[in-house]
Amino acid sequence: MPRTLVLRGAAAVTGSLALAASLTACAGSSPAGSADSKGAEKVVTVYSADGLKSEKGDGWYDRVFADFTKKTGIEVKYVEGGSGEMVQRAVRERTNTQADVLITLPPFIQQADGKGLLQSYVPQGADKVNGADKSTDGKWTSVVNNYFGFVYNKKELAEAPKTWEELLDARYKGKLQYSTPGVAGDGTAVLIKSMHDFGGKEPAMEYLKKLQANNVGPSSSTSKLAPKTDKGELLVANGDVQMNFAQSKSMPNLGIWFPAKEGGKPTSFALPYAAGLVDKAPHSENGKKLLDHLLGEEAQRLVSEVGGGFPARSDIKPTDANAIELTKLMTGVEIFEPDWADIDKNLTGYVDAWKSATGS
């Protein structure tokens, strides 16, 4: 599969972001606050974009965190939200750092780096990650590869929509929703893909202005949209392949599709989960151990089988049923490489243009 390009520098996102997330202990045998023989607290706190942990406890994070705790005795505390939310929370806590590991989608991992939130650490196994999927200075490394996509309700729609233009039909009024650009990684991806497919900012904003007539409204978290789509509250929503593929195992009405511009081909682009060690992390050594674990062979082999995603390590070639199904899903989809340098420089302007166009 094609890989994403490296983003350099910071992409600023404006506005205050509210986050209703709590520290949640993932499966482990050690009580909170326990310490090792040297008195070091045996805990690690992860701030992550949503999609890799399951409410039913059977997601990739659930499995690899439990394995990590069993192996090391280190308890994992987990905070989940939109990519932009996680970065902004870390910024607010800069004088009293809480997170040890930050995992977000692009362009927010690069934004975190640009804001000085990450320290350099090259995890074991990072040498097997393609150069485009990690920073050159060791500030972040992709741990799960992924692609942007949309979902639809297979029960209510006989077949998936094919084009962006179809979504302007009145049948989708109040039945369509996408997560908020500048807040959620997948929401920001809506801007990136629409600007690519329509040939620039102006035609994309013109389209999104029209689409707003059918849009339910903002959502800070993309993962909340799939259950609504499965239940029929929505007919169409945005998402990403890994998260939605994993959700579809327990949501029988959820289908994945890739919009095309009328007359064009369905398109997508790489949108990996990238992890970095937080600067001044309170449990830095534990954070390093967790990053090593996430890129370990065992965890990487579970990415498709358990998580429904694509391994970050190029030497891991899964052959499980999910891996085969994912390959078929991506067949015929044109993978483009965004102009990340432009997005890095102009993301705030693009988000502002979207707000103006949609009245958001």
Side-chain angles (χ1 to χ4, degrees):
M1 291 286 179
R3 308 289 184 178
T4 187
L5 294 180
V6 175
L7 281 164
R8 301 184 186 279
V13 175
T14 59
S16 62
L17 301 170
L19 176 62
S22 59
L23 288 173
T24 306
C26 292
S29 57
S30 301
S34 62
D36 60 21
S37 59
K38 296 181 180 179
E41 194 174 11
K42 302 201 73 175
V43 66
V44 61
T45 299
V46 176
Y47 283 10
S48 177
D50 47 12
L52 292 173
K53 191 177 188 299
S54 168
E55 291 183 0
K56 295 186 175 182
D58 57 357
W60 188 68
Y61 274 162
D62 301 284
R63 176 71 173 272
V64 297
F65 287 169
D67 290 346
F68 176 73
T69 299
K70 184 177 180 180
K71 177 181 177 181
T72 65
I74 298 171
E75 175 193 2
V76 179
K77 291 187 175 181
Y78 178 72
V79 177
E80 177 181 283
S83 289
E85 290 179 294
M86 293 294 92
V87 173
Q88 291 299 324
R89 177 165 177 158
V91 169
R92 293 196 300 270
E93 296 172 347
R94 194 191 295 271
T95 58
N96 182 28
T97 306
Q98 300 295 308
D100 300 301
V101 172
L102 178 67
I103 304 176
T104 73
L105 306 180
F108 297 101
I109 193 67
Q110 293 84 2
Q111 180 192 102
D113 185 13
K115 290 179 178 293
L117 295 176
L118 305 177
Q119 60 174 297
S120 181
Y121 177 68
V122 179
Q124 296 175 21
D127 60 316
K128 304 297 185 182
V129 176
N130 288 344
D133 294 330
K134 58 189 177 185
S135 65
T136 56
D137 58 2
K139 294 292 184 63
W140 58 268
T141 306
S142 296
V143 293
V144 172
N145 277 337
N146 194 16
Y147 294 89
F148 179 58
F150 275 64
V151 292
Y152 74 103
N153 183 291
K154 295 192 294 184
K155 183 179 180 181
E156 299 294 330
L157 299 176
E159 61 180 9
K162 290 182 173 61
T163 67
W164 288 102
E165 287 83 357
E166 286 183 55
L167 301 182
L168 299 177
D169 191 277
R171 71 181 301 184
Y172 295 105
K173 186 174 180 62
K175 291 286 188 175
L176 175 150
Q177 190 174 18
Y178 60 91
S179 51
T180 308
V183 176
D186 289 324
T188 304
V190 171
L191 290 186
I192 295 172
K193 177 171 160 57
S194 61
M195 287 191 295
H196 170 271
D197 290 358
F198 286 96
K201 182 181 77 171
E202 296 305 324
M205 297 308 156
E206 182 180 343
Y207 168 79
L208 293 172
K209 180 179 181 178
K210 295 177 183 177
L211 186 65
Q212 194 66 12
N214 289 343
N215 188 17
V216 171
S219 174
S220 63
S221 175
T222 312
S223 66
K224 297 176 182 178
L225 304 183
K228 292 181 180 180
T229 305
D230 179 64
K231 294 174 184 176
E233 295 175 27
L234 299 173
L235 292 178
V236 173
N238 70 316
D240 61 69
V241 173
Q242 176 279 321
M243 177 173 65
N244 296 143
F245 185 85
Q247 290 172 318
S248 69
K249 298 302 180 180
S250 60
M251 299 179 189
N253 299 321
L254 201 66
I256 299 173
W257 69 291
F258 304 91
K261 186 179 183 302
E262 199 166 71
K265 296 180 179 180
T267 67
S268 184
F269 63 97
L271 203 61
Y273 292 88
L277 186 66
V278 177
D279 186 47
K280 298 181 177 63
H283 311 99
S284 183
E285 293 305 311
N286 294 346
K288 292 177 181 178
K289 291 177 182 178
L290 179 60
L291 289 172
D292 291 344
H293 183 76
L294 295 178
L295 273 179
E297 286 191 30
E298 183 178 353
Q300 286 290 299
R301 292 188 188 283
L302 295 174
V303 169
S304 59
E305 181 182 345
V306 175
F310 306 84
R313 287 179 51 157
S314 60
D315 62 325
I316 303 298
K317 309 291 185 183
T319 57
D320 58 89
N322 283 350
I324 294 171
E325 192 173 345
L326 286 164
T327 298
K328 291 180 180 178
L329 178 66
M330 300 304 298
T331 300
V333 179
E334 185 178 276
I335 305 299
F336 67 91
E337 297 179 337
D339 185 346
W340 290 117
D342 175 73
I343 295 166
D344 176 29
K345 180 180 179 182
N346 297 305
L347 180 59
T348 300
Y350 292 148
V351 172
D352 288 343
W354 170 80
K355 289 179 180 178
S356 177
T358 61
S360 299

